[in-house]
Amino acid sequence: MSVRLICTDPNSYLNVDLECLPAVIGRGKEADVQIVDRFASRLHCEVRLCDGALYALDLDSGNGTLLNGEFITDVELKGGDLLTVGVTTFRVQFSSRALAQISDRGATEFAQHGT
């Protein structure tokens, strides 16, 4: 199992498995997870691993990123959390075991920047 983002909109079939982190969510073509949402920024937020934990980082988006209804800048994610990008809300699912198996393509970069 990977980190899974499940769209909570009953009319959407957008479910995303994040096999490699960090992953950027946004409406732009450059985003790893591209969503159709006019309220989302092109590069809206990033989901990343840091010290074995999963985090969401707002990328200075125009409308902000919400976690469980609260605006965030950089926060640790827990299984079952609701992550809102624009007006698109995802339920975050993962296990500690899944985090250990995910490829962290940014581990070296984060270590160099001290985050």
Side-chain angles (χ1 to χ4, degrees):
M1 177 184 176
S2 60
V3 173
R4 178 169 264 202
L5 302 178
I6 301 169
C7 187
T8 61
D9 181 344
N11 297 318
S12 174
Y13 297 101
L14 180 60
N15 295 323
V16 180
D17 289 327
L18 302 178
E19 301 288 343
C20 194
L21 296 174
V24 173
I25 303 169
R27 64 179 168 80
K29 293 179 182 175
E30 320 78 41
D32 299 303
V33 178
Q34 189 175 3
I35 60 175
V36 179
D37 183 333
R38 67 187 183 111
F39 295 100
S41 296
R42 287 180 176 86
L43 301 174
H44 196 100
C45 75
E46 179 180 86
V47 176
R48 62 180 171 87
L49 276 175
C50 185
D51 296 328
L54 193 65
Y55 286 83
L57 170 70
D58 181 73
L59 299 175
D60 295 322
S61 62
N63 291 312
T65 301
L66 286 82
L67 184 68
N68 302 322
E70 302 288 329
F71 285 99
I72 60 108
T73 53
D74 190 4
V75 67
E76 184 175 353
L77 296 170
K78 306 287 186 210
D81 278 344
L82 296 175
L83 181 66
T84 302
V85 177
V87 294
T88 305
T89 299
F90 296 98
R91 181 171 308 283
V92 181
Q93 287 186 340
F94 66 93
S95 68
S96 298
R97 183 176 172 199
L99 292 183
Q101 296 173 347
I102 291 175
S103 171
D104 186 2
R105 63 182 169 204
T108 305
E109 177 183 335
F110 290 126
Q112 290 173 350
H113 288 77
T115 56

